Amino acid sequence: MILPILLVLPLVAALWALGAPRRGPQAGRAGAALSGAGLLLALGLARQCLADGEVGFGAGRFLRADALSAILVLVVSGVAFVAIACGRGEMDRARAAGTIDDGVVRRYHALTQLFVFTMLLTVLANNVGVMWVALESTTIITAFLIGLRGSKEALEASWKYILIGSIGIALAFLGTVLAYFNFVQRVGEMPFALHWTVLARVAPGLDPDVLRLAFVFILVGYGTKVGLAPMHTWLPDAHSEAPAPISAMMSGALLAVALYAILRWKVVVDACVGSLFSERMLLLVGTGSVMLAAVLLAGQTSYKRMLAYSSVEHMGLCCLGLALGPIGTLAALLHIMTHAASKSMLFVVAGDIAAGYRSAAIGAVRGLARAVPRTGGLFLVGMLALLGLPPFGLFVSEFLLFRAGFLTGHPWVAGLNLALLVWAFVSLLGVTQKMCYGPPAPGEPPTEPPLSARAPLLLNLAVLLGLGIMIPPPLLALLRQAMEIVHS
C-alpha cells in the first residue's frame, strides 16, 4: 500500500488548499507536513526495494517501484519537502506586501502539490503511456506556476515553456507509438503491452531499426524536458520568472524525472540493439549540453539564469555518465541526487536574495557575507558544492564519472568535458566571489528570513556533506541495484 499512499498525500494537500476560502495561510503548513510524511514514506520505499527488489500495486502491477524508481522518489520527495516548507515564507511575504491575495496563495499551494503528484506518478507508473501522460501533466501544471505573478515576463516565459515543452513531449509520444506498433507487429496483442516490464522482456525480439528511430524521438522529446541542448531554450526564462521554490523543484527534481523516462527506454532499446547506439546518442547530447552551458555561463548577468544554465551543464554530465558503463551509471545516479540537493537549496536562497535586493542582476548584489550572513553563507556553501569541490557530494559523483570515462576507453570525451567543466568552474567561481565578498551596497541592509524559516535546508547540507564524506552502505547498495537494472 505504500505506493498509492505516496500518490494520495499530495492530492490530499492540494484538496485541502482549495477546500475553503480562508485556508490560504494554513495550506502551506499542511502541505509541508504532508510532504514530510511523503519523504518518510520514500525512505521506507527505498528500504523495501532494497530488501525485496521491487514493490508493486494494482492489476498487472500498474504501480511499480524498483531501486531505480526508489532513487527518483527520494529525490522528488526530498526536494518537494524542502521547497514546500521554504515556500511558505515566500508566499506569506508576497501576501503581506499586497502583491498577491489569498486566492493566488491557495492556487500556488494546490498546483505545487499537483506538481509533486505528477512527478511521483511518472516514476511509479509501470505503463510507459501513463508515464508519458504524467510527464505531460507536469508541463501544464508548471506553466501556471511560472506565470503565477502575472507579469509580462512571467507570462511570456510560461507560453514559451508550453510551446517548447509540448513539441518535445509530442516527439516523445511519437517514439512511444512507434515502439508500441513495433511490439504489436512482432509479438501481437497481449495484456499490459505498454508496461515497462513487458517491453523489457520482449525487446530482443523487436525490430531494431524501428526501436532506434523510436529512441531518437524519445531522446529529443524527453530531452526537451531535461533541458538538454539544443532543446534547452525554455529553461533559463522559466527559472528566472517562476517562484523560487518552483524553480527549486523544476531544477532539482523535474529534470531528473524526465531523464528517468529516457533511462527506462534506454534499457528497452539496449536489450534489442545493444548499448552502443544509445551510448553514442547520450555522449553526443551530453557533451553538447556541457559545451553550450560552459559558453553561456561565462556571459550571464542574472544569477537565476546562471543557475538555470548550470542545470543544463549538470544534466549533460548525467547523460555522459549513463553512456559510460556501469560505473558511469552509478556516478550519474549519484550526481542526480547531489545536484538535486545543491540546486534546490540555491534556488530557494536565490529567491531570498532577489527579495532582499529587489533584483536578480549579479551586478546589484555585493557583500552577501556581511550584509545578510545567513543567506550569504548558504549561497556560498551551495555554490561551492555546485562547483564540485570537496568535501561535497558532487565532487565524488564527478570524480566517478570522469574515472568511468577513462576506464571505458573514452579519454577524449572525458578530457574535453573535464576542460569544459573547468571553464564553467572559473565562471561560477567569479560570480560567487563578486556576490559574496566586497563592500555591501550603501544604505539600509536588505532583510533576510529568520533561521527557523530556512531550517529545512539543513537536509540539503546533510546530503551534500554526507555523500561527500561517505556514501552510506544502504544507499550504495540501492545505487548498485539500480545500476544492475540499467545494465541487466
Side-chain angles (χ1 to χ4, degrees):
M1 289 295 290
I2 193 169
L3 300 183
I5 294 174
L6 269 168
L7 294 174
V8 165
L9 285 177
L11 291 178
V12 170
L15 290 172
W16 172 264
L18 292 174
R22 298 185 181 277
R23 283 185 186 167
Q26 293 92 344
R29 290 190 288 272
L34 289 171
S35 296
L39 178 56
L40 293 177
L41 282 176
L43 291 168
L45 176 64
R47 181 179 179 181
Q48 193 169 348
C49 288
L50 192 59
D52 302 333
E54 64 177 58
V55 179
F57 178 83
R61 296 202 160 195
F62 177 77
L63 297 177
R64 177 184 177 276
D66 53 20
L68 184 58
S69 307
I71 290 170
L72 270 296
V73 170
L74 279 172
V75 168
V76 172
S77 300
V79 171
F81 168 69
V82 170
I84 291 170
C86 293
R88 288 173 49 205
E90 177 158 334
M91 290 298 105
D92 292 343
R93 188 167 54 208
R95 187 174 61 247
T99 56
I100 59 174
D101 57 22
D102 280 349
V104 174
V105 174
R106 292 200 312 276
R107 288 197 299 274
Y108 165 84
H109 288 300
L111 288 170
T112 301
Q113 295 291 343
L114 290 175
F115 182 26
V116 177
F117 167 78
T118 52
M119 287 193 290
L120 288 174
L121 181 59
T122 300
V123 299
L124 292 177
N126 194 7
N127 186 292
V128 294
V130 174
M131 179 178 72
W132 179 88
V133 171
L135 203 52
E136 168 66 358
S137 300
T138 65
T139 304
I140 299 169
I141 292 168
T142 48
F144 284 107
L145 288 166
I146 292 168
L148 191 72
R149 302 183 192 278
S151 66
K152 177 183 175 182
E153 294 79 7
L155 294 175
E156 181 180 340
S158 178
W159 278 109
K160 185 176 182 179
Y161 173 57
I162 290 176
L163 178 62
I164 297 174
S166 296
I167 292 173
I169 211 74
L171 292 174
F173 177 73
L174 181 56
T176 304
V177 170
L178 280 172
Y180 173 71
F181 280 113
N182 186 10
F183 177 94
V184 172
Q185 185 182 33
R186 288 299 184 98
V187 181
E189 296 284 352
M190 65 180 296
F192 312 117
L194 279 176
H195 276 33
W196 177 80
T197 46
V198 175
L199 284 169
R201 187 175 67 248
V202 304
L206 301 181
D207 188 316
D209 291 331
V210 175
L211 266 193
R212 286 190 188 96
L213 181 60
F215 186 72
V216 171
F217 282 116
I218 287 166
L219 178 60
V220 174
Y222 286 136
T224 303
K225 293 286 290 186
V226 179
L228 299 175
M231 300 84 67
H232 69 285
T233 51
W234 63 269
L235 196 145
D237 292 331
H239 283 329
S240 62
E241 296 301 329
I246 302 305
S247 292
M249 291 172 63
M250 291 176 69
S251 185
L254 178 60
L255 305 187
V257 167
L259 188 61
Y260 164 90
I262 294 174
L263 188 53
R264 284 297 192 193
W265 276 109
K266 178 184 183 299
V267 175
V268 175
V269 173
D270 288 355
C272 179
V273 306
S275 62
L276 185 61
F277 173 75
S278 64
E279 287 173 357
R280 285 176 174 174
M281 296 289 294
L282 288 168
L283 284 174
L284 178 64
V285 298
T287 301
S289 299
V290 176
M291 183 178 297
L292 181 90
V295 171
L296 294 176
L297 278 170
Q300 289 306 306
T301 58
S302 164
Y303 50 85
K304 285 187 175 182
R305 294 179 72 87
M306 175 192 74
L307 293 175
Y309 280 115
S310 171
S311 295
V312 176
E313 173 200 8
H314 285 278
M315 289 300 105
L317 288 175
C318 289
C319 285
L320 286 175
L322 297 177
L324 296 175
I327 296 177
T329 298
L330 191 147
L333 294 173
L334 181 62
H335 198 77
I336 284 172
M337 301 183 75
T338 52
H339 174 259
S342 62
K343 196 57 67 66
S344 58
M345 180 173 74
L346 279 169
F347 267 114
V348 168
V349 175
D352 295 336
I353 296 172
Y357 284 83
R358 294 181 176 83
S359 175
I362 293 171
V365 181
R366 291 290 184 272
L368 279 174
R370 291 174 59 187
V372 280
R374 291 192 299 273
T375 302
L378 288 171
F379 182 79
L380 177 61
V381 170
M383 288 301 296
L384 292 177
L386 192 66
L387 288 168
L389 293 174
F392 299 106
L394 276 92
F395 170 79
V396 176
S397 58
E398 289 177 1
F399 176 83
L400 287 173
L401 192 151
F402 287 110
R403 181 172 181 266
F406 288 106
L407 289 176
T408 54
H410 296 87
W412 290 105
V413 173
L416 173 60
N417 282 277
L418 187 57
L420 292 170
L421 207 63
V422 172
W423 187 357
F425 176 94
V426 172
S427 301
L428 292 172
L429 186 62
V431 170
T432 304
Q433 191 275 333
K434 289 177 183 177
M435 292 177 63
C436 288
Y437 299 107
E444 185 178 350
T447 59
E448 59 180 342
L451 186 60
S452 59
R454 293 296 171 257
L457 295 180
L458 292 174
L459 174 63
N460 300 64
L461 294 173
V463 170
L464 290 171
L465 286 170
L467 296 183
I469 296 170
M470 184 191 72
I471 303 176
L475 177 59
L476 184 59
L478 191 70
L479 289 168
R480 284 175 173 164
Q481 274 193 19
M483 177 188 72
E484 291 168 1
I485 292 168
V486 177
H487 295 279
S488 57

